[in-house]
Amino acid sequence: MAHADTARPCPAPPRSRTHQTRPGRVGSPDDVVNTGVVLACDEAAYIHGAGLVVDGGWSTVLPGTTT
């Protein structure tokens, strides 16, 4: 885990492609946090060992991006 004072922000994806993703926008930190909240709920107790890509669909739009 990186410390806040040494972490570098990820470069923002090109804004010209935001319309190609399902949300139509660049994600926010809340989008990632909300995924964690869902997984912490009792209703998600049956989810084990799954790899979730929380990128709003960018990995399917940007060339050369793999999951």
Side-chain angles (χ1 to χ4, degrees), residues 18-53:
T18 56
H19 70 281
Q20 294 175 323
T21 63
R22 185 159 178 93
R25 61 180 174 79
V26 174
S28 70
D30 285 341
D31 293 320
V32 177
V33 170
N34 290 336
T35 303
V37 170
V38 168
L39 293 174
C41 293
D42 291 337
E43 289 82 0
Y46 200 70
I47 300 173
H48 292 273
L52 298 177
V53 178

Side-chain angles (χ1 to χ4, degrees), residues 47-61:
I47 300 173
H48 292 273
L52 298 177
V53 178
V54 184
D55 70 353
W58 284 107
S59 59
T60 62
V61 175

